Amino acid sequence: GQEVVKKIRDWEQKEKSFRDGTESKIVMISFSYYAADVMMAYRTGCDDYLCKPVSAERLDDILTKLGIERLPE
């Protein structure tokens, strides 16, 4: 997961179209609760981090915080 995040962020840095604040929003979802893993995810470029199991309410909160609207049901 962290390797993919790094590749996405590296690619965005190279592309002029992503230099205007329109970077991808990345939420890493993992079983790991270790502080070192969480901090590494943020250092790699994740916008947020959730530990499994993830409730729909918690995911909705994170997506709202990141400015991502929920699709109509």
Side-chain angles (χ1 to χ4, degrees), residues 15-39:
E15 294 296 317
K16 293 179 183 178
S17 61
F18 287 100
R19 293 184 184 159
D20 63 357
T22 59
E23 293 86 6
S24 301
K25 304 296 183 201
I26 300 174
V27 178
M28 186 172 288
I29 300 174
S30 175
F31 278 110
S32 178
Y33 286 85
Y34 293 115
D37 292 338
V38 175
M39 294 309 299

Side-chain angles (χ1 to χ4, degrees), residues 56 60 70-73:
D60 190 47
R70 176 182 249 191
L71 294 174
E73 294 181 22

Side-chain angles (χ1 to χ4, degrees), residues 27 58-70:
V27 178
R58 180 71 179 125
L59 180 58
D60 190 47
D61 289 345
I62 295 298
L63 296 177
T64 299
K65 181 178 94 171
L66 295 175
I68 300 170
E69 294 182 29
R70 176 182 249 191

Side-chain angles (χ1 to χ4, degrees), residues 34-52:
Y34 293 115
D37 292 338
V38 175
M39 294 309 299
M40 181 60 76
Y42 283 111
R43 280 190 218 116
T44 304
C46 285
D47 294 291
D48 219 315
Y49 186 95
L50 294 171
C51 295
K52 294 179 184 179

